[in-house]
Amino acid sequence: MLNYIWLGMLLSGIILGIMNGRISEVTKAVIESSGSAIKLGISLAGIMCLWSGIMKIAEESGLVKSIAMAVKPVLKFLFPGIPRNHPALGAVVMNLAANILGLGNAATPLGLKAMAELQELNPLKYAASDEIVMFLVLNASSLQLVPASVIAIRSQAGSAN
């Protein structure tokens, strides 16, 4: 449905530009905006690759397991259905750490991995388990200490602060 709304807005803007004799301004805006979108996409992809790599190093080095052990009492309270030392716990920790650091897009693949691990534990494959719902709520709440993605976008846009 959202695709139709965007399509309607784009077409109405183009049609109004033609009707008002401003099609050259519409064309100029389309070209400039598409260039800006490409630049922003590339800069965000770089940030996402950097933080995904850092999170992978943290996982391989055992840092994620150490963090998981440190926050285990809290996670055990929030996710009582995850068995002890299950990979889902590490995936949840990695995703929550990425979200707390404000890594946004870099947290997405980690969240997908955590959701897949939680789904393996789910006895009812056609319905969401309590752990899946809790994980979704924690992700939707968007807990952040450092909004790294926002800082990167503002920096790319030329913000002084």
Side-chain angles (χ1 to χ4, degrees):
M1 182 66 186
L2 191 59
N3 289 338
Y4 294 122
I5 293 172
W6 280 108
L7 179 63
M9 289 174 32
L10 286 171
L11 289 179
S12 65
I14 292 170
I15 291 169
L16 286 172
I18 292 170
M19 290 172 53
N20 291 329
R22 296 177 144 187
I23 192 66
S24 62
E25 292 176 24
V26 171
T27 304
K28 182 179 174 184
V30 166
I31 291 171
E32 288 176 2
S33 297
S34 61
S36 297
I38 298 278
K39 288 178 186 175
L40 179 63
I42 290 172
S43 67
L44 287 178
I47 292 165
M48 188 170 144
C49 290
L50 170 72
W51 286 107
S52 293
I54 289 173
M55 293 304 287
K56 186 65 175 173
I57 291 169
E59 181 184 18
E60 297 282 329
S61 69
L63 181 62
V64 172
K65 285 186 179 182
S66 300
I67 294 171
M69 295 306 284
V71 296
K72 192 172 189 173
V74 174
L75 289 178
K76 198 64 182 160
F77 176 74
L78 293 174
F79 299 97
I82 299 178
R84 187 179 182 141
N85 298 327
H86 193 276
L89 194 62
V92 168
V93 167
M94 286 178 34
N95 176 263
L96 292 178
N99 279 325
I100 287 172
L101 292 173
L103 304 181
N105 293 336
T108 301
L110 301 170
L112 292 173
K113 180 179 179 184
M115 195 63 84
E117 295 286 344
L118 290 172
Q119 182 62 19
E120 285 182 20
L121 295 173
N122 190 1
L124 302 172
K125 301 299 181 190
Y126 57 87
S129 67
D130 291 343
E131 285 72 27
I132 290 174
V133 172
M134 177 57 76
F135 182 70
L136 194 60
V137 167
L138 288 173
N139 273 287
S141 67
S142 188
L143 302 170
Q144 289 185 9
L145 295 178
V146 181
S149 294
V150 174
I151 292 169
I153 291 170
R154 288 182 51 85
S155 174
Q156 182 68 25
S159 175
N161 294 327

